[in-house]
Amino acid sequence: MSNSTKFVFVTCYLIVFSLQGITGRHPDFYLSIEKLVNKYGYPMENHEVTTEDGYILTMFRIPHGRTGTEINQKLVILVHGLYGQAEHFITNAMHNGSLAFLLADNGYDVWLMNSRGTQHGRKHIRLDPNESKFWNFSWHEIAMYDLPAKIDYMLQKTKKSKLHYIGHSQGGTIFYVLSAMKPEYQKKIQLASLLSPAGYGGHIQFPLFQYFGRHFDEIMRMVEKYNIYEFPNLGNSPSELLLNTCIDSVFSSFCLLVMRNFNGIVTPNVDLEMLPLILRFIPTAAMKQSLHYLQGVISGRFRQWDYGNSQKNIEAYGTPEPPEYNVESISVPVSIYYGLSDLQVTEKDLKLMCQSLQNCVSLHPMKDSKWSHYDYLLSNVAGEQFNVPLLRSMQKYDDD
């Protein structure tokens, strides 16, 4: 088949496929997170937490389930991933798959974290989010400032001494960093349940990551030249652009193809009706967050930010290379869940992390061979295949 024939074939396919694109918006789309939570019969509170370095971040709290009136006694924090925020633990309610709701109905006082840079983390006591200084952070700073501020606030507010930790993707990264860098917080966590946690990245074979790795120096020069500090730099959120492009437009079929084929974002178990709601709650992030992950893919090591030359690293750390995170010092019980079709984290890297931890109590591959990076949040079978088994695992540690 000639290239011109292939072009015609693909073009015709896209035109026909556009008739089956992403169309319409579920009624939940028009609701704020407060109204969304209330619609399903749950209470919600807003709490603002100020970090040591001045970021003002909003947390959402679901203190009890639908049938309760008293605050639940078991405490849990749900921590989102890169380009995620609190709403992504709620949106699957249309399939009875909201992890936050299940936990609230089973005796947990549920707190939903939003990190700096999300739609609920764009305030600072001095800095403006339109300034590059606001975005001079990676997941290292989220772990060192945002997460401990949230944990301390929760424990002080509830007068508890421990909590359950659930982290998706970057939520696992910052658990590792906090536990290694501030070991006193290990005593405050009963069990860390990590969903495709990003840590070691040396075995990632995803072609896009490998391409960026080969051109990392060029990317860094471009970032510095054009002062790319927020990505994508579209104001408060890329969600409006994504919605206008992908919903009820001529490009809807293209968006669907990308979502189905790029990194397993959309798997067979994801209901396309939910995608507008997911797109609405996608925030921007600091460019440095993605670059820090890319450094780990290149080096195969889990360590602090590399400034690019030995002199700058010596000035920052006292050593020519950035320090490794001492994950061997982490004694918190850790359960790791992962999908066999996940292209963002690999089984080899997760096994390496599990071997490094002192108390990796389980390394749990999902039974569905097509389970991917976002199915914990998006899959229409997440409730039965993931949420319920996770709940049972957590309950074993409630008395500890």
Side-chain angles (χ1 to χ4, degrees):
M1 184 183 295
S2 67
N3 289 335
S4 59
T5 304
K6 289 180 181 178
F7 176 80
V8 172
F9 176 82
V10 172
T11 302
C12 291
Y13 174 79
L14 288 174
I15 292 173
V16 173
F17 194 76
S18 67
L19 298 175
Q20 306 174 34
I22 308 172
T23 59
R25 299 180 181 182
H26 190 277
D28 286 0
F29 171 85
Y30 301 95
L31 303 178
S32 65
I33 184 172
E34 293 91 344
K35 291 182 179 179
L36 187 61
V37 170
N38 294 158
K39 171 188 172 178
Y40 288 94
Y42 296 85
M44 202 188 83
E45 301 172 2
N46 291 3
H47 294 261
E48 279 198 345
V49 179
T50 302
T51 67
E52 184 182 339
D53 59 346
Y55 287 82
I56 303 170
L57 312 172
T58 300
M59 291 188 82
F60 300 121
R61 180 190 192 187
I62 304 174
H64 58 76
R66 276 180 292 196
T67 60
T69 56
E70 300 294 326
I71 295 176
N72 288 336
Q73 293 303 302
K74 297 179 288 186
L75 195 58
V76 62
I77 183 171
L78 273 62
V79 184
H80 60 78
L82 180 63
Y83 294 109
Q85 57 186 38
E87 284 90 342
H88 291 161
F89 289 105
I90 301 295
T91 49
N92 209 7
M94 65 175 68
H95 298 126
N96 196 31
S98 167
L99 178 59
F101 291 170
L102 177 70
L103 293 172
D105 284 333
N106 283 273
Y108 290 89
D109 181 4
V110 179
W111 293 70
L112 302 166
M113 176 172 169
N114 292 293
S115 66
R116 60 186 67 189
T118 64
Q119 294 174 16
H120 310 290
R122 298 178 65 88
K123 294 191 290 185
H124 193 280
I125 59 175
R126 298 181 308 275
L127 303 176
D128 189 301
N130 294 315
E131 300 173 347
S132 60
K133 288 183 179 180
F134 180 95
W135 297 94
N136 186 23
F137 62 84
S138 176
W139 33 262
H140 177 88
E141 286 73 25
I142 294 174
M144 296 296 287
Y145 297 106
D146 299 9
L147 187 52
K150 299 293 182 74
I151 290 176
D152 289 343
Y153 181 90
M154 290 171 60
L155 295 179
Q156 181 180 19
K157 187 77 174 178
T158 61
K159 295 180 171 55
K160 303 289 183 183
S161 60
K162 285 189 173 185
L163 52 77
H164 279 276
Y165 185 98
I166 298 175
H168 174 244
S169 192
Q170 181 183 263
T173 309
I174 63 175
F175 162 78
Y176 295 141
V177 174
L178 174 66
S179 299
M181 299 294 292
K182 295 187 174 184
E184 63 271 23
Y185 281 88
Q186 295 189 38
K187 298 178 181 179
K188 302 178 182 183
I189 299 175
Q190 291 169 267
L191 172 69
S193 301
L194 308 182
L195 327 179
S196 290
Y200 293 118
H203 293 94
I204 291 176
Q205 299 297 314
F206 187 45
L208 189 62
F209 290 175
Q210 292 179 328
Y211 175 82
F212 287 153
R214 291 193 298 270
H215 298 277
F216 184 82
D217 291 340
E218 298 171 41
I219 294 172
M220 284 300 300
R221 285 194 293 270
M222 182 178 68
V223 167
E224 293 170 0
K225 179 178 179 180
Y226 296 103
N227 197 24
I228 304 173
Y229 49 86
E230 177 186 7
F231 185 81
N233 190 353
L234 300 170
N236 185 52
S237 167
S239 59
E240 196 62 35
L241 176 62
L242 288 170
L243 287 167
N244 290 336
T245 302
C246 294
I247 310 301
D248 297 327
S249 83
V250 295
F251 297 106
S252 62
S253 58
F254 174 75
C255 292
L256 194 56
L257 282 172
V258 171
M259 291 174 182
R260 279 180 168 161
N261 292 284
F262 177 75
N263 211 17
I265 293 176
V266 179
T267 65
N269 290 328
V270 175
D271 186 344
L272 299 181
E273 188 179 32
M274 193 186 356
L275 287 178
L277 193 60
I278 294 296
L279 292 176
R280 177 185 166 201
F281 294 124
I282 293 178
T284 57
M287 188 68 186
K288 195 173 181 181
Q289 289 171 259
S290 297
L291 293 173
H292 199 170
Y293 277 126
L294 192 55
Q295 288 183 349
V297 173
I298 297 168
S299 68
R301 300 160 73 179
F302 186 47
R303 57 187 187 178
Q304 296 188 45
W305 175 258
D306 189 342
Y307 285 91
N309 64 63
S310 57
Q311 184 57 42
K312 288 184 178 180
N313 285 331
I314 289 173
E315 292 173 4
Y317 308 119
T319 55
E321 291 194 352
E324 302 268 352
Y325 293 114
N326 185 20
V327 295
E328 291 82 1
S329 69
I330 300 175
S331 60
V332 177
V334 176
S335 291
I336 296 175
Y337 301 82
Y338 66 97
L340 296 174
S341 293
D342 193 333
L343 298 180
Q344 292 196 29
V345 298
T346 68
E347 188 174 43
K348 287 184 178 180
D349 286 325
L350 292 174
K351 286 183 177 179
L352 178 61
M353 180 62 74
C354 191
Q355 293 167 1
S356 300
L357 300 170
Q358 291 184 29
N359 196 8
C360 184
V361 296
S362 68
L363 184 61
H364 185 83
M366 300 300 295
K367 292 181 180 179
D368 185 348
S369 62
K370 295 182 179 179
W371 195 274
S372 189
H373 200 70
Y374 300 98
D375 278 343
Y376 312 95
L377 308 176
L378 306 181
S379 173
N380 53 26
V381 294
E384 60 187 80
Q385 293 194 13
F386 173 69
N387 293 355
V388 172
L390 173 64
L391 173 65
R392 291 172 182 160
S393 175
M394 291 172 59
Q395 289 172 334
K396 297 176 183 177
Y397 290 83
D398 284 339
D399 296 329
D400 291 355

